[in-house]
Amino acid sequence: MTQTNIPLKRRNEIKEAVYYTLQNYKHSNIPVKIKAIARSFTNIRLVSYSKHMKKNNLSYDCMIKFTGTKDACTDYYAKANFFIIYYNDIDRNITTSNRYRWNIAHELGHIMLGHHITHEKTRIFRNELSNSEYDELEEEADYFASLILVPHAALLGFQIRNANYIKVMCKISEPAAKRRYYEFLEWKSHVSAQDEYDKRIFHLYYNFIYKRKCKNCGAGLIQRYGKYCPICGNKNTLEWGDGDNMKYPLLDTYENGKLKECPVCHNEDTNIDGNYCQICGSYIINKCPNQNCDNYDVLPSNARYCPICGESSTFYNANILKVWDYKEYKNNSDGFMNIPDGIDEELPFH
Ligand SMILES: [Zn+2]
Ligand SMILES: [Zn+2]
Ligand SMILES: [Zn+2]
Ligand SMILES: [Zn+2]
């Protein structure tokens, strides 16, 4: 399947359909949540073989007879424009190898590419189409499945050393991973920053690719450039993964990074030109103050340090942000108490 017979124009249409499908489900993760993606369309229902057998009191053999396949099939109800995907969740060869994921993606491909509608079929079956027609539709659905389950532009953000990385990361079968790994290498050898589809996939997965957690302070952040943790200022302590996003909350800012409220005079009228508070003159945009650093971007509002050079940020220097391991209220002499735990008993008041 490395060499596809699908013409370029059609391949681009299929890519368009893949992007549309991925986008319909709001969260972009790998392994791609193929079931959730299918379910994100209100006119598609996913039904496992076991569920259908139980509901209709069918044996496994009867179920195979009904669907005509050990993998998966789709019924199209033209009047209601409704699709039901039946997928095998019983055969252990199919479930443990993750082949069922490919099967669902393949069926979703038939649906999203409009195969049932353009060919006026309730099912895409070999004996209802000419051989060449059937092969063409199958190849298209497989192409769709390979693109949606193994998004190359997203994988580029990871060290993919062999086919096994793709197998584990994308949760696909070994044969599929081997094929897709060679396609990935081929693609990587002439990857273009101008490719529209690759660019869109990259941005869809941006937050997934660049999510980092700091081994030192536990912060969770999205960071593309820089080796410094913007919260605790340590170098090389960031690794890919989910940190604690709530631990070091962002301050309320406008899109340009300007604080919605001046922390010094509490002026809330800050949505004006310039980087200063118009009342007290405080600098209310978080930046790297290092003249020799080429990071001119606005820093995230919770950044104590510049991720590029490690210098402390303007917010940190101005005491708008506390040192990352500052224990709030620790030495508070005003007798401040944390809010005590609630009680379970019903209160007597009416
Ligand atoms: Zn098919
Ligand atoms: Zn840190
Ligand atoms: Zn102010
Ligand atoms: Zn800097």
Side-chain angles (χ1 to χ4, degrees):
M1 245 284 291
T2 306
Q3 284 307 316
T4 171
N5 298 313
I6 307 169
L8 179 65
K9 182 170 171 285
R10 184 60 179 157
R11 286 207 305 269
N12 286 334
E13 284 168 8
I14 297 172
K15 285 177 170 177
E16 194 65 37
V18 167
Y19 182 74
Y20 171 77
T21 307
L22 281 171
Q23 223 192 5
N24 199 57
Y25 181 66
K26 301 290 170 247
H27 321 276
S28 300
N29 292 306
I30 302 174
V32 169
K33 293 198 163 50
I34 195 66
K35 284 189 195 171
I37 289 171
R39 288 195 178 108
S40 72
F41 294 91
T42 51
N43 66 335
I44 297 175
R45 187 178 298 157
L46 263 181
V47 179
S48 65
Y49 279 18
S50 63
K51 194 171 158 195
H52 189 78
M53 283 160 55
K54 198 174 167 199
K55 193 172 165 212
N56 297 281
N57 211 3
L58 297 178
S59 68
Y60 182 59
D61 286 343
C62 289
M63 187 68 201
I64 298 295
K65 250 183 221 135
F66 166 64
T67 58
T69 171
K70 279 194 164 180
D71 286 315
C73 88
T74 301
D75 275 345
Y76 171 49
Y77 298 88
K79 271 191 191 136
N81 186 34
F82 196 81
F83 299 87
I84 299 179
I85 300 175
Y86 298 98
Y87 68 96
N88 193 337
D89 65 334
I90 291 186
D91 187 325
R92 291 202 29 96
N93 287 328
I94 290 170
T95 53
T96 55
S97 69
N98 282 321
R99 187 181 160 88
Y100 75 97
R101 286 172 46 79
W102 188 281
N103 292 338
I104 293 170
H106 174 104
E107 293 307 315
L108 194 57
H110 280 309
I111 297 171
M112 301 312 294
L113 298 174
H115 289 167
H116 302 83
I117 295 163
T118 46
H119 293 263
E120 295 180 342
K121 295 280 178 276
T122 47
R123 277 187 189 177
I124 306 299
F125 257 160
R126 182 175 283 284
N127 52 17
E128 294 210 5
L129 295 153
S130 76
N131 272 349
S132 63
E133 246 183 336
Y134 177 77
D135 290 345
E136 188 186 309
L137 298 187
E138 283 301 284
E139 192 173 7
E140 285 192 3
D142 273 334
Y143 186 59
F144 179 97
S146 69
L147 288 173
I148 203 165
L149 291 177
V150 188
H152 283 166
L155 294 184
L156 206 56
F158 300 87
Q159 295 181 358
I160 305 294
R161 293 204 178 89
N162 54 47
N164 204 43
Y165 283 78
I166 292 193
K167 179 187 160 192
V168 173
M169 194 171 166
C170 301
K171 229 179 145 191
I172 57 174
S173 73
E174 197 169 319
K178 279 185 175 153
R179 280 200 311 272
R180 207 64 185 123
Y181 177 61
Y182 289 113
E183 287 165 6
F184 175 65
L185 292 183
E186 214 274 316
W187 170 84
K188 208 176 150 184
S189 69
H190 55 81
V191 57
S192 156
Q194 308 309 318
D195 187 282
E196 270 312 310
Y197 173 74
D198 290 338
K199 248 195 312 200
R200 289 160 87 191
I201 292 293
F202 170 77
H203 283 289
L204 204 56
Y205 284 97
Y206 189 96
N207 288 356
F208 178 80
I209 297 169
Y210 294 116
K211 68 178 174 184
R212 299 286 182 269
K213 68 165 177 240
C214 174
K215 285 186 277 191
N216 184 49
C217 69
L221 40 115
I222 309 292
Q223 184 169 309
R224 185 171 185 181
Y225 300 110
K227 296 202 178 318
Y228 291 89
C229 169
I231 303 297
C232 69
N234 274 283
K235 197 174 184 182
N236 296 329
T237 53
L238 298 177
E239 56 188 14
W240 183 84
D242 293 302
D244 189 345
N245 288 320
M246 307 308 286
K247 222 168 161 182
Y248 310 100
L250 291 162
L251 306 174
D252 242 358
T253 64
Y254 294 103
E255 226 161 83
N256 61 8
K258 201 167 183 185
L259 288 178
K260 288 190 173 173
E261 185 189 316
C262 170
V264 177
C265 72
H266 303 289
N267 159 37
E268 292 181 18
D269 219 358
T270 62
N271 198 14
I272 53 164
D273 283 349
N275 298 340
Y276 296 88
C277 168
Q278 58 171 344
I279 305 298
C280 73
S282 298
Y283 194 72
I284 53 175
I285 285 196
N286 201 18
K287 288 232 166 189
C288 172
N290 180 356
Q291 304 283 337
N292 301 317
C293 174
D294 43 0
N295 187 11
Y296 305 114
D297 292 343
V298 174
L299 300 177
S301 61
N302 64 351
R304 278 85 168 154
Y305 299 92
C306 167
I308 306 293
C309 72
E311 180 85 26
S312 47
S313 70
T314 52
F315 276 10
Y316 184 60
N317 292 343
N319 230 353
I320 295 170
L321 294 170
K322 298 268 184 286
V323 59
W324 66 276
D325 57 355
Y326 177 84
K327 292 277 175 295
E328 206 148 354
Y329 315 127
K330 190 173 60 179
N331 299 316
N332 197 314
S333 53
D334 301 345
F336 181 91
M337 267 172 46
N338 281 322
I339 297 166
D341 289 338
I343 53 167
D344 279 338
E345 294 150 46
E346 203 181 322
L347 295 177
F349 313 113
H350 294 287

